[in-house]
């Protein structure tokens, strides 16, 4: 940031056209937008910071005041910047306010107003963070302002001496107090909306952290929190409302919260993009920001603010570059939500570059911090969309995985040829039916004359018969029970609430009739029959194994008696 002093030196050549003798007198009036003093204010750079007001008002120094055409940029240095303002009041009396738009001046001293005869009309004002740290002055405004009364018409002169350890723009405006209040209301509304959105995003991330238990939501919530502290410090609200009696800590606190903002933002991006998995080396580079951030905080605590701010500016450039690279890598890996992340990072990256160029004197735009606030708010808003997109993607993936798991489970318990349950599926579902139902019947079916079909027409014909039998059994049983193929030409049915023995016998006869119907195959009518053994619970057994054994005895009894029939285990 020391380049700012060099830039001021280079620009001073353009300011030589306006000297103190040519300093215009600014007429005071009630203007809704205030009276801007850019191009109409005298400026003198006291590089050593040793001159007092008597020296400044001397004819030797007074001739050295220049009239810069725009707001004056101050870098991080020990220079004292003096400003000379000439005003004219037409009315007999008036109250006015000189707004510096500076929020973190180390010292802000005002001398004046002086009337046309050079008489000082008010005691000097000594303010600034240094004064606050010494306990002599409390910050009672967002910015450093000077309120003064003029008791009669005429010309007046005010001198302002400013030192600052932060990059500042000295863009003075004179206001009528009421109009200044209206303007402050509009600005306060804008800042209030911004702060409210930041607070909303903090709670949004806390909610996501509570629901999903992922650390990246904690990182983003903390990033929002420290961004809120940093911007409220830059705007002067932190000093006015929170640290009213401790404004002296602002030179250390402000770099600290900015560094923590950067560190947590980097950790959020690292987790959001999944860099440890897809780009381990880049992930380590992001982690390297953390110790560098610690160094920047330590330098600020040791009073080395220029070095601390220089390192912070370096981190604000390196961090987004790493995150942009990570987003591009994530996109190549098919992570679509990285588009939103890249969009958000690019917006803040542009603002940080803009701010860095301003702080180093390459550009000169007094709205840099407003742009930074808007860009930060825009970035976090886009991150909300990015996180929503990521959550939607995760839910979609989980849904697909769940469906796949269901399909795999179904496949593992389904006979691939016939589509009914296999032995594993039968054991699983039959056990459930037995647990929930008081009365069940188990029908064990063995196909008769199936081997001749295989031998005469081939296994394809046999497969066709098995598929057709399974289809007929499933259609007949429908929702009243479950059907399974145990292997080969053996099927089994478990029926809930089967009724009495007569109803079961009728059911078995109908099944034999269905199975015995011819199966068309390659111009042939394939014919088989079936033998069915019937076991009932609890008469013939209380568990699946006992029922299967009982039904098996009954089925083989039928086969020994000529096949193509049914029989009860109790009779067997």
């Amino acid at each position: 940031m020391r380049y700012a002093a060099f830039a001021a030196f280079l620009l001073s050549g353009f300011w030589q056209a306006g000297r103190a003798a040519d300093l215009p007198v600014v007429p005071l009036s009630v203007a809704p937008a205030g009276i801007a003093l850019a191009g109409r204010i005298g400026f003198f750079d006291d590089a050593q910071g040793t001159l007092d007001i008597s020296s400044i008002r001397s004819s030797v120094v007074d001739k050295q005041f220049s009239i810069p055409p725009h707001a004056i940029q101050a870098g991080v240095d020990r220079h004292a910047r003096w400003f000379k303002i000439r005003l004219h009041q037409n009315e007999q009396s008036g109250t006015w306010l000189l707004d510096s738009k500076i929020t973190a001046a180390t010292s802000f001293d005002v001398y004046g107003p002086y009337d046309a005869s050079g008489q000082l009309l008010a005691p000097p004002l000594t303010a600034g963070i240094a004064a606050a740290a010494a306990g002599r002055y409390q910050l009672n405004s967002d910015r450093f302002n000077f309120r003064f009364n003029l008791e009669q018409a005429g010309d007046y002169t005010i001198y302002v001496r400013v030192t600052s350890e932060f990059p500042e723009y000295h863009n003075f405006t004179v206001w009528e107090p009421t109009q200044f209040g209206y303007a402050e209301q509009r600005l306060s509304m804008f800042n209030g909306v911004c702060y409210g959105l930041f607070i909303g995003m903090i709670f949004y991330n806390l909610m996501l952290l509570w629901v999903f238990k992922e650390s990246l939501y904690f990182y983003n919530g903390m990033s929002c929190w420290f961004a809120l502290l940093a911007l409220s410090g830059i705007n002067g609200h932190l000093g006015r409302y929170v640290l009213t009696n401790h404004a002296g800590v602002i030179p250390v606190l402000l770099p600290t919260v900015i560094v923590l903002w950067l560190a947590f933002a980097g950790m959020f991006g690292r987790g959001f993009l999944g860099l440890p998995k897809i780009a381990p080396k880049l992930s380590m580079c992001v982690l390297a920001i953390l110790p560098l951030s610690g160094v920047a905080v330590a330098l600020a605590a040791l009073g080395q603010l220029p070095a601390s701010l220089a390192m912070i500016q370096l981190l604000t450039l390196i961090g987004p570059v790493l995150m942009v690279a990570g987003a591009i890598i994530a996109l190549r890996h098919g992570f679509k939500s990285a588009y939103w992340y890249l969009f958000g990072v690019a917006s803040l990256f542009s603002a940080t570059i803009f701010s860095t160029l301003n702080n180093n004197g390459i550009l000169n735009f007094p709205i840099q911090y407003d742009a930074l606030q808007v860009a930060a708010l825009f970035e976090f808003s886009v991150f909300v969309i990015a996180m929503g997109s990521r959550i939607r993607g995760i839910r979609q993936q989980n849904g697909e995985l769940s469906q796949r798991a269901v399909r795999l489970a179904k496949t593992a318990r389904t006979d691939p040829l016939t589509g009914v349950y296999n032995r594993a599926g039968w054991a699983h579902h039959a056990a459930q039916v037995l647990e929930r139902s008081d009365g069940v019947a188990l029908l064990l079916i063995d196909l008769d004359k199936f081997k001749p079909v295989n031998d005469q027409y081939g296994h394809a014909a046999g497969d066709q018969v098995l598929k057709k039998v399974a289809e007929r059994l499933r259609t007949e049983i429908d929702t009243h029970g479950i059907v399974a193929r145990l292997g080969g030409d053996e099927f089994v049915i478990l029926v809930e609430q089967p009724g009495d023995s007569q109803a079961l016998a009728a059911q078995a006869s109908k099944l034999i009739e269905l199975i015995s119907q011819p199966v068309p195959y390659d111009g042939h009518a394939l014919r088989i029959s079936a033998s069915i053994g019937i076991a009932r619970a609890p008469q013939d057994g209380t568990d699946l194994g006992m029922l299967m054994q009982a039904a098996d005895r009954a089925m083989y009894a039928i086969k020994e008696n000529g096949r193509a029939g049914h029989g009860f285990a109790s009779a067997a």
Side-chain angles (χ1 to χ4, degrees):
M1 296 189 184
R2 294 187 179 277
Y3 293 122
F6 180 65
F9 173 75
L10 293 177
L11 291 173
S12 64
F14 296 99
W15 298 345
Q16 300 302 318
R19 310 306 306 174
D22 304 320
L23 184 64
V25 178
V26 179
L28 294 172
S29 62
V30 179
I35 305 169
L37 299 181
R40 299 190 287 178
I41 188 172
F43 170 71
F44 175 74
D45 187 1
D46 178 11
Q48 303 300 319
T50 58
L51 299 180
D52 57 16
I53 184 61
S54 59
S55 301
I56 290 297
R57 296 188 66 216
S58 67
S59 59
V60 175
V61 177
D62 188 68
K63 294 178 180 179
Q64 299 182 46
F65 273 89
S66 58
I67 307 174
H70 44 65
I72 298 167
Q73 184 187 47
V76 181
D77 52 40
R78 304 297 181 181
H79 294 199
R81 291 169 174 84
W82 287 87
F83 301 91
K84 180 179 180 181
I85 305 166
R86 298 184 64 193
L87 305 171
H88 177 78
Q89 178 174 270
N90 291 319
E91 293 77 11
Q92 289 301 314
S93 64
T95 301
W96 308 95
L97 186 142
L98 178 65
D99 180 21
S100 69
K101 299 185 180 173
I102 301 171
T103 61
T106 303
S107 64
F108 184 82
D109 305 327
V110 183
Y111 303 90
Y114 293 89
D115 61 16
S117 65
Q119 181 180 357
L120 180 62
L121 303 181
L125 169 68
T126 300
I129 294 175
R136 298 191 303 270
Y137 177 75
Q138 293 183 350
L139 297 177
N140 56 10
S141 176
D142 299 350
R143 304 185 299 274
F144 289 98
N145 300 323
F146 174 61
R147 189 184 181 102
F148 59 97
N149 298 317
L150 301 179
E151 300 298 334
Q152 58 185 359
D155 294 339
Y156 299 89
T157 304
I158 297 175
Y159 294 90
V160 181
R161 180 184 183 273
V162 181
T163 63
S164 177
E165 294 186 275
F166 292 95
E168 294 282 4
Y169 274 90
H170 304 289
N171 194 18
F172 292 89
T173 305
V174 177
W175 294 84
E176 189 277 324
T178 302
Q179 297 300 322
F180 178 76
Y182 293 150
E184 283 296 284
Q185 288 179 355
R186 294 189 292 268
L187 181 60
S188 296
M189 181 177 295
F190 168 75
N191 287 325
V193 170
C194 291
Y195 296 163
L197 290 173
F198 274 113
I199 293 173
M201 291 176 194
I202 292 170
F203 281 101
Y204 172 73
N205 280 279
L206 290 177
M207 179 192 69
L208 293 180
L209 175 64
W210 180 71
V211 173
F212 295 104
K213 307 296 189 297
E214 287 190 82
S215 58
L216 67 94
Y217 301 118
F218 169 75
Y219 294 141
N220 195 46
M222 294 302 293
S223 179
C224 289
W225 169 247
F226 286 113
L228 175 62
L229 289 179
L231 294 172
S232 63
I234 292 173
N235 292 333
H237 300 129
L238 195 63
R240 178 180 182 184
Y241 299 109
V242 182
L243 301 172
T244 306
N245 300 318
H246 307 282
V249 304
I250 289 179
V252 176
L253 182 63
L254 194 53
T256 301
V257 296
I258 293 175
V259 162
L260 291 173
W261 174 11
L262 295 172
F264 279 107
M267 293 301 293
F268 165 71
R270 176 177 175 269
F272 181 84
L273 299 172
L275 296 185
K277 292 182 179 180
I278 64 175
K281 292 182 179 179
L282 185 61
S283 175
M284 293 301 295
C285 291
V286 175
L287 290 177
I289 292 178
L290 300 181
L292 293 176
S293 301
V295 172
V297 172
L299 289 172
L302 294 173
Q304 301 299 317
L305 193 57
S308 175
L309 293 178
M311 180 166 285
I312 290 173
Q313 287 188 96
L314 180 63
L315 293 176
T316 59
L317 296 178
I318 293 177
V321 169
L322 295 177
M323 292 299 99
V324 168
I328 294 174
I329 294 174
L331 287 173
R332 291 180 177 177
H333 280 75
F335 183 43
K336 296 181 179 180
S337 298
Y339 278 114
W340 288 108
Y341 181 85
L342 184 61
F343 187 36
V345 168
S347 65
L348 186 60
F349 188 28
S350 301
T352 55
I353 291 177
F354 174 73
S355 179
T356 301
L357 293 176
N358 272 272
N359 291 340
N360 287 279
I362 300 173
L363 297 178
N364 195 314
F365 290 96
I367 62 169
Q368 59 161 326
Y369 294 128
D370 294 334
L372 183 63
Q373 177 168 318
V374 172
L377 186 60
F378 180 78
E379 181 198 47
F380 284 115
S381 300
V382 172
F383 282 177
V384 169
I385 301 174
M387 288 188 290
S389 174
R390 178 181 181 271
I391 293 171
R392 184 171 61 251
I394 291 174
R395 291 186 62 185
Q396 183 177 355
Q397 289 178 358
N398 290 340
E400 293 173 354
L401 290 174
S402 178
Q403 292 176 3
R404 183 181 178 186
V406 170
R407 289 195 299 268
L408 289 174
K410 185 177 180 181
T411 300
R413 294 174 178 175
T414 303
D415 177 50
L417 176 64
T418 61
V420 298
Y421 291 123
N422 58 15
R423 188 176 292 273
W426 159 256
H428 175 76
H429 291 281
Q432 292 181 341
V433 172
L434 283 172
E435 287 181 4
R436 69 171 180 258
S437 182
D438 294 333
V440 297
L442 188 150
L443 286 73
L444 186 61
I445 305 170
D446 188 77
L447 301 184
D448 300 327
K449 303 177 184 179
F450 178 73
K451 188 175 184 300
V453 171
N454 265 339
D455 295 342
Q456 184 175 354
Y457 299 103
H459 290 289
D463 291 345
Q464 180 65 21
V465 169
L466 293 173
K467 287 190 285 187
K468 198 65 177 178
V469 170
E471 179 184 337
R472 292 169 180 174
L473 294 177
R474 189 162 47 188
T475 302
E476 175 62 22
I477 296 302
D478 194 20
T479 60
H480 303 297
I482 57 174
V483 180
R485 179 189 174 210
L486 300 180
D489 59 351
E490 193 173 47
F491 291 84
V492 65
I493 297 173
L494 193 65
V495 181
E496 294 188 70
Q497 305 299 329
D500 57 16
S501 298
Q502 185 175 358
L504 265 175
Q507 178 77 69
S509 297
K510 187 173 183 180
L511 291 174
I512 293 173
E513 180 182 351
L514 289 172
I515 294 172
S516 300
Q517 292 178 4
V519 177
Y521 175 76
D522 198 19
H524 302 281
L526 307 180
R527 296 181 180 274
I528 58 172
S529 60
S531 298
I532 302 178
I534 305 172
R536 303 184 64 182
Q539 298 95 315
D540 302 317
T542 56
D543 60 38
L544 196 58
M546 296 173 64
L547 291 174
M548 287 287 290
Q549 291 178 4
D552 187 66
R553 290 194 302 269
M555 181 190 67
Y556 276 101
I558 295 299
K559 283 184 174 291
E560 290 175 357
N561 292 326
R563 303 183 180 183
H566 66 272
F568 286 90
S570 56

